[in-house]
Amino acid sequence: MARLVDADAGLILADRIVTMEPTREESYRLKMELLLACGQRDRAIRTYEACRSMLKKEFGVEAGPETRALWQSLLLAADDASNVQSTSGVPASQRLGRPSISVADFVNLTGKQGDDFFAKGLVQDITTALSEVADYVVLAALPPEKSGPGEEAKTPGILRARYMLSGSVQRSGNGLRVNVQLVDAAGGHHVWAQKFDGHSENALEFQDRIAQSVVLAVILELQLTNWKVRDKSPPGTPEVRRLVNEALMKYFEMTRDSLLVGIELAEKAFSIGPDNARAKRTLSIVISMGVAFGALPRERGVIERAVELAEAAVRAVPDDEIARCILSFALESCGRIDEAIAECRHAISLNPSYPTGHGDISMLFALRGQVDEAVREANEAIRLGTHDVIDFWRHHGLVVALFAGGDNQRALEAARKVVRTKPGFVRGALYWAATASATGNNEEASRAIHHCLSQLPHLNLSNVCPGFVPRYVKDHHHSRFLEMLSRAGLPGS
């Protein structure tokens, strides 16, 4: 609730939570996040000190790794006036937690009564579909109330949706046109808009198609908005756009089965639009991630194709930071670490607020043994991409860095979080096994290896790296990783 209401109300709720249960570390972290979102970095740092003091006094322990990581990001954050101004007075739901969306009634522009039923059914379908997405909160679109003549309209209750989805229905003979738009309620600007054309004799089918397309587009646009990214690559034809969106949704599910479906959808988009940059980069990333999850074999031709597709997307739109990061990931998959770092640096120079750029370069620094740089970039990525669908990937970069630096306990704590979030991510589970083994948690390490083998029975010490995990550049880091996996019980061959 504190993340959904406006900033002042959210802080009041956070203070109440801390007062009711002053020994709960997560409550202090929530307050720190809300204060940071309001531009009150100094107060957020003082809240960390209060949390640290309480934990030391009551339990004799230090703050946990998540709280320390947030505190470190506070210390690294730029404390300039423009940042404070840009965040002050904006609802906390705009920056933290799950975005809230309100779906307004669609306007019947032609006035035919039958189209009223179509419009209402469409709104219900869209609302239901959005409500089934766990990452978003759908709030009822209540009519505005006015306190008196000339006074500003107010929304009942304290909850205010960050985004408003609205639209219109228009008829011409048997033809129907539906216009849909998504507006950022706080800033008043349009985030996304699209029109759909169909026929009234297939109204239900048309309605289902619109609802599915709207939900896919809204989810992806909100993700890009959260990342402060404006997609610079042309979307292509409506069918290419639909297939790309569906492929990306399967990609974001990030299971072996979903990635295989994503590859199939991206292949269809690419076959329809072979010159479309979005189709190329989407096919590249689902292939690369398919290899990372063990859904595709780690074969030379598979990885080279991912690289070629991403290179073509970058050539088509050189200032597309998304394509640059996708190319970086493909290059990492084939061990071209220095080239991958160069692409990440380019992406960050294009958009310093893009969390994927910081997260990916963190992983690359970790593989190269540059621990301090890797930890710094991972924390920045976590700060910029709080609570999004690939947050686990950034925490995994932190694990790889901490293990290389010998900080085994912190690495284990972060690895546990990765596995809890994404149990099908075998790379994460392998680091869970290695870090548990390095900290002497032998039973947990054995459990982690069984978890890996239950998903990939043929996994062993000879094919694990670089087969399923990128190799550390330095031999002693690589050897130590394999040694810990051997102790954990990974078979030799």
Side-chain angles (χ1 to χ4, degrees):
M1 183 72 75
R3 290 188 171 101
L4 288 176
V5 298
D6 61 66
D8 292 337
L11 285 170
I12 290 170
L13 288 172
D15 282 331
R16 287 176 60 190
I17 295 169
V18 171
T19 301
M20 286 189 294
E21 198 171 355
T23 58
R24 187 168 180 263
E25 184 178 354
E26 188 179 356
S27 302
Y28 291 90
R29 195 160 60 244
L30 168 65
K31 184 177 178 182
M32 289 166 65
E33 291 175 359
L34 293 171
L35 287 167
L36 177 60
C38 295
Q40 301 182 48
R41 187 166 65 93
D42 291 342
R43 281 189 63 194
I45 291 172
R46 290 198 297 273
T47 300
Y48 169 79
E49 295 298 339
C51 174
R52 186 167 176 265
S53 175
M54 179 278 300
L55 291 171
K56 198 73 176 173
K57 178 182 176 182
E58 295 293 330
F59 306 116
V61 298
E62 290 293 332
E66 288 183 62
T67 310
R68 289 201 305 271
L70 179 57
W71 169 66
Q72 289 169 350
S73 72
L74 292 170
L75 298 179
L76 292 169
D79 192 21
D80 55 85
S82 62
N83 185 42
V84 174
Q85 184 178 4
S86 66
T87 55
S88 296
V90 179
S93 61
Q94 181 163 337
R95 302 170 306 275
L96 296 169
R98 299 182 294 163
S100 52
I101 307 169
S102 181
V103 184
D105 288 337
F106 280 31
V107 179
N108 179 4
L109 295 177
T110 47
K112 189 174 180 180
Q113 187 176 7
D115 293 338
D116 283 337
F117 296 116
F118 175 80
K120 288 177 181 177
L122 183 56
V123 168
Q124 284 189 335
D125 280 358
I126 292 172
T127 302
T128 301
L130 280 171
S131 300
E132 292 172 351
V133 181
D135 292 324
Y136 299 92
V137 176
V138 182
L139 304 177
L142 298 174
E145 293 180 348
K146 288 194 175 183
S147 302
E151 291 188 21
E152 227 177 84
K154 296 179 181 177
T155 302
I158 59 172
L159 291 183
R160 295 196 293 274
R162 175 182 176 182
Y163 297 100
M164 174 64 75
L165 188 74
S166 61
S168 63
V169 176
Q170 191 172 8
R171 173 183 290 277
S172 177
N174 289 329
L176 285 173
R177 169 164 290 181
V178 176
N179 284 288
V180 187
Q181 60 182 357
L182 183 70
V183 176
D184 187 320
H189 62 272
H190 284 73
V191 176
W192 165 83
Q194 192 171 334
K195 66 180 180 182
F196 302 88
D197 292 317
H199 298 282
S200 55
E201 59 264 27
N202 299 317
L204 288 177
E205 181 184 331
F206 183 38
Q207 190 172 299
D208 289 342
R209 178 166 65 85
I210 293 173
Q212 181 189 38
S213 297
V214 166
V215 171
L216 288 172
V218 165
I219 290 169
L220 294 171
E221 288 295 335
L222 292 188
Q223 187 68 81
L224 293 177
T225 300
N226 183 48
W227 290 342
K228 298 181 177 64
V229 171
R230 181 180 63 82
D231 198 335
K232 303 175 184 71
S233 292
T237 65
E239 183 64 7
V240 168
R241 185 187 311 160
R242 181 185 69 81
L243 288 166
V244 164
N245 285 350
E246 289 185 13
L248 287 172
M249 289 308 300
K250 288 299 177 182
Y251 162 76
F252 282 126
E253 286 180 25
M254 287 196 184
T255 66
R256 282 193 297 282
D257 289 342
S258 75
L259 288 165
L260 288 172
V261 175
I263 290 166
E264 183 180 345
L265 290 164
E267 289 280 15
K268 287 180 182 177
F270 180 61
S271 67
I272 296 171
D275 296 325
N276 183 264
R278 286 197 196 186
K280 290 175 183 176
R281 75 183 191 202
T282 301
L283 183 53
S284 174
I285 190 61
V286 290
I287 288 173
S288 294
M289 194 60 76
V291 172
F293 270 72
L296 290 179
R298 188 184 175 84
E299 296 173 352
R300 184 182 183 89
V302 173
I303 297 171
E304 285 181 350
R305 188 177 182 219
V307 172
E308 289 167 3
L309 287 163
E311 286 176 336
V314 166
R315 283 195 301 272
V317 189
D319 62 342
D320 180 2
E321 63 266 40
I322 301 173
R324 293 277 176 183
C325 283
I326 288 173
L327 175 55
S328 172
F329 188 45
L331 291 168
E332 177 203 308
S333 298
C334 57
R336 293 158 65 178
I337 303 298
D338 291 342
E339 294 172 73
I341 288 175
E343 292 299 332
C344 271
R345 288 191 192 280
H346 198 143
I348 293 170
S349 71
L350 290 167
N351 184 352
S353 298
Y354 187 27
T356 298
H358 293 280
D360 288 357
I361 204 169
S362 163
M363 177 72 72
L364 296 163
F365 282 148
L367 293 173
R368 221 161 56 170
Q370 296 171 244
V371 175
D372 291 342
E373 295 93 330
V375 171
R376 183 178 66 249
E377 291 290 347
N379 285 330
E380 179 67 1
I382 291 166
R383 182 184 73 82
L384 290 168
T386 304
H387 304 301
D388 69 22
V389 292
I390 56 173
D391 196 39
F392 79 94
W393 189 266
R394 294 156 199 150
H395 283 87
H396 178 62
L398 189 61
V399 174
V400 178
L402 292 171
F403 182 81
D407 195 343
N408 299 320
Q409 187 58 44
R410 283 184 64 198
L412 174 58
E413 290 165 0
R416 287 168 177 162
K417 178 171 183 174
V418 171
V419 173
R420 281 197 304 270
T421 306
K422 205 54 81 171
F425 182 40
V426 177
R427 283 191 191 182
L430 285 165
Y431 271 92
W432 175 33
T435 54
S437 181
T439 53
N441 290 281
N442 298 327
E443 183 181 346
E444 183 176 357
S446 176
R447 197 163 66 246
I449 288 297
H450 282 300
H451 177 79
C452 295
L453 293 175
S454 69
Q455 298 178 73
L456 297 173
H458 57 290
L459 200 60
N460 57 58
L461 288 171
S462 62
N463 66 17
V464 68
C465 188
F468 295 95
V469 180
R471 189 190 191 281
Y472 281 113
V473 172
K474 295 182 178 178
D475 289 340
H476 68 280
H477 289 151
H478 173 66
S479 299
R480 180 169 173 265
F481 179 65
L482 293 182
E483 180 187 351
M484 293 303 113
L485 289 179
S486 177
R487 287 188 192 177
L490 187 66
S493 61

